[in-house]
Amino acid sequence: NAFAGGKIVFMLDNGKLKAAVGACRGLQNTEVYVLPSGAGDIAAPVPADQTKPRLRYIETEISRVCNLNCRGCCDFINLKVPEETYYDFDRYCADLTRLKELYWGVEQIRLLGGEPLLNPRVAEYAEKARETFPDCDLRIVTNGLLLPGFSKEKLRRIREANCSFDVSSYPPTLKIKKEIVAILSEAGLRYNFSVPMVFFFRNVLEKPVHDPAPAFRNCIFSHCHNLSNGKLGPCTFAFYIYRFNRHFGTDYPEDDFIDLYEPTLTGWQIEERYSRPHPFCACCGSGMTPLLWKGHCAPAEARPEDWLIKDTFLNTKVAPALQT
């Protein structure tokens, strides 16, 4: 950090800024700024309000339709329940503005779906996220199948929004990987390919358990908060389980979220509430079980066992022990 005229500038890896700025909480007559590394081309220091926390991670579905519809999708997209096709843009803007009132910054924002490139305004969503949270590591999560033939103008705007691509390496994606790389490279975009998506993982229990703590302690998604329609969810499974309920007639809890517009809500309260097990954790296994990947799964083909962990010794005892 550097001190100059009552100012502190933290030039650190993006993941370290939450703790660094938090350490300045309570300082008087001091302006705090950050210049994150690992978040792309941020030209000037970004002001940080040390009276608020910084959010580690948020993802938001800007598209609720997909061109791949994987079996066992963790967002349950392939079940196709009746709902708006896209996250209403005006509502999205209002929700980001409200989030900025609660948090001074966000480490990483990922725009996904469904398939986000199906949203004709995808570049605008990226631009608004960058405008609201200039400090964030901003990414679009895509299966990449629509990139051949995708608008060069939209790619330019996405690049200028300092947004990169996370490409999910599904089997059909890997078949055209060289073409995808060429397109993104020509557009000057940063990108990352995931490990090959050979398996998905079941995570929901057939019946809830009495103690949610083991699942929370063993969870790799506990920081994966979801934003949509004025709500902040603790994780993907909890936030989108309503789709599973609508399709299969089940009654998993659907109210495990925070209303961002609660009048007295603060970011610190959200941090505290999501730092411990929440209600839906009782419905999650403390160890995930694999499901062989399959694309283009129609709603009629979907089965509860695509998501549910069967109550067997292997699934409920051995798998959690291996994943601890």
Side-chain angles (χ1 to χ4, degrees):
N1 54 38
F3 292 82
K7 296 181 180 180
I8 301 176
V9 181
F10 287 106
M11 295 176 286
L12 295 169
D13 177 84
N14 211 330
K16 297 178 180 178
L17 290 173
K18 178 177 181 177
V21 175
C24 298
R25 190 180 181 188
L27 287 181
Q28 301 296 318
N29 304 315
T30 303
E31 297 178 20
V32 180
Y33 295 81
V34 301
L35 192 59
S37 61
D41 302 321
I42 297 177
V46 176
D49 182 352
Q50 64 265 41
T51 66
K52 303 176 185 178
R54 188 176 197 235
L55 187 58
R56 176 181 172 188
Y57 175 96
I58 192 167
E59 60 185 34
T60 183
E61 277 186 1
I62 65 171
S63 171
R64 300 181 179 111
V65 289
C66 189
N67 58 334
L68 199 49
N69 293 309
C70 304
R71 176 176 63 170
C73 172
C74 62
D75 287 21
F76 310 97
I77 283 289
N78 61 308
L79 298 180
K80 297 189 181 304
V81 302
E83 56 188 332
E84 292 182 334
T85 302
Y86 309 119
Y87 191 169
D88 179 79
F89 185 73
D90 291 337
R91 184 61 186 269
Y92 166 81
C93 293
D95 289 346
L96 283 180
T97 299
R98 173 56 177 157
L99 200 66
K100 187 61 179 283
E101 294 173 358
L102 299 167
Y103 292 92
W104 69 263
V106 180
E107 179 180 333
Q108 186 175 102
I109 298 176
R110 298 174 91 210
L111 309 178
L112 41 74
E115 172 48 54
L117 299 188
L118 284 169
N119 188 321
R121 300 178 70 178
V122 58
E124 293 177 70
Y125 286 78
E127 290 164 343
K128 182 61 181 179
R130 175 59 64 200
E131 174 191 336
T132 310
F133 292 104
D135 60 297
C136 77
D137 176 0
L138 179 61
R139 308 181 183 200
I140 292 172
V141 183
T142 176
N143 58 42
L145 299 176
L146 297 176
L147 283 171
F150 195 71
S151 165
K152 291 185 177 181
E153 171 62 15
K154 290 179 183 178
L155 290 177
R156 179 192 64 79
R157 291 175 61 183
I158 291 168
R159 184 193 71 241
E160 292 183 355
N162 193 14
C163 179
S164 63
F165 277 81
D166 279 348
V167 184
S168 301
S169 298
Y170 297 108
T173 302
L174 292 176
K175 291 180 180 178
I176 59 169
K177 181 176 180 178
K178 289 183 178 180
E179 185 177 359
I180 292 172
V181 168
I183 291 166
L184 295 178
S185 298
E186 182 182 357
L189 282 152
R190 293 174 292 117
Y191 60 86
N192 173 67
F193 279 79
S194 74
V195 297
M197 306 290 283
V198 180
F199 293 100
F200 274 8
F201 289 92
R202 304 176 181 92
N203 206 56
V204 183
L205 297 173
E206 291 183 308
K207 296 179 181 179
V209 296
H210 175 70
D211 183 9
F216 184 79
R217 287 196 303 266
N218 225 20
C219 184
I220 62 174
F221 303 111
S222 59
H223 69 285
C224 297
H225 302 333
N226 297 79
L227 175 71
S228 184
N229 294 332
K231 302 172 184 177
L232 190 70
C235 71
T236 300
F237 292 100
F239 205 51
Y240 297 113
I241 194 66
Y242 69 86
R243 293 170 179 156
F244 188 90
N245 284 341
R246 300 292 183 279
H247 188 84
F248 294 113
T250 50
D251 60 353
Y252 287 95
E254 299 181 9
D255 56 355
D256 199 348
F257 58 81
I258 291 172
D259 180 354
L260 288 177
Y261 295 90
E262 289 179 20
T264 60
L265 184 67
T266 68
W268 299 109
Q269 291 172 338
I270 298 173
E271 293 284 289
E272 196 279 328
R273 285 162 68 175
Y274 281 161
S275 69
R276 62 181 189 270
H278 41 88
F280 193 82
C281 291
C283 302
C284 275
S286 52
M288 300 182 293
T289 63
L291 173 74
L292 188 65
W293 180 86
K294 178 180 180 296
H296 304 295
C297 180
E301 298 178 80
R303 300 290 181 267
E305 54 265 30
D306 295 343
W307 292 271
L308 299 184
I309 298 173
K310 292 185 178 180
D311 187 8
T312 66
F313 179 80
L314 180 65
N315 289 345
T316 60
K317 301 295 183 184
V318 178
L322 292 175
Q323 295 172 41
T324 298

